[in-house]
Amino acid sequence: MQLSTIVSSLAILAINLTPSIANTEARYNASLTENIESNIQSLVQEEINNKASKKLPVIGVIKNRNLTGCGGSFQFVQDFNKNLDKFIFVSLLDGNTFMNFNGQDIKLNLIRANKDRKGNLRNEVYTVNQIKIRVDYSLIEPPSEKTGYEASIYHAKVTISVGRNSKVLRLKGYHGC
């Protein structure tokens, strides 16, 4: 008789616990699903942000007309040949260098500059945010009557990189005073 009482008590206990176990399992599954969905949304957003951050900026004409003085002022070759003041890259001797990215004049940070034995520029590397800018110079004309004796004319190959994406600009301009 005692054994049957124990068995029936266990049966009653099992019947009473079944909804509680099912409820706990349902809450656990819901929590797990919510965490997985949250993690998936976070990963998707992170990937979207990564792709957006690796997008190349739109290059524009420098808006600030007060960026003048000794240094380099470069523009697209066709604009240089037409004598237009549409500067794409300005590097002043005071160390301030600017480009226009996505409609904003942005100051670049110089990482390194290489010069040849005569002191002529060879290349410079800049960064800003996640953008890397490399400028390779080639001398076209040293100081002369045409350049005003204090400036040289250069071609500048400007390579703009973000992640694996890059864009090359062919510029021409004066460097000097």
Side-chain angles (χ1 to χ4, degrees), residues 52-109:
S53 69
K54 292 181 180 166
K55 187 177 175 185
L56 289 169
V58 175
I59 310 303
V61 174
I62 292 176
K63 296 177 182 179
N64 186 347
R65 296 292 176 199
N66 295 323
L67 297 176
T68 58
C70 293
S73 300
F74 294 86
Q75 52 200 331
F76 289 112
V77 174
Q78 62 271 20
D79 292 338
F80 180 89
N81 293 340
K82 292 178 183 177
N83 207 21
L84 301 176
D85 288 338
K86 295 182 177 181
F87 297 105
I88 304 300
F89 178 82
V90 173
S91 177
L92 303 173
L93 289 181
D94 67 4
N96 292 312
T97 303
F98 298 89
M99 287 188 78
N100 184 294
F101 294 130
N102 301 325
Q104 301 278 326
D105 291 346
I106 304 292
K107 183 178 177 187
L108 308 179
N109 304 310

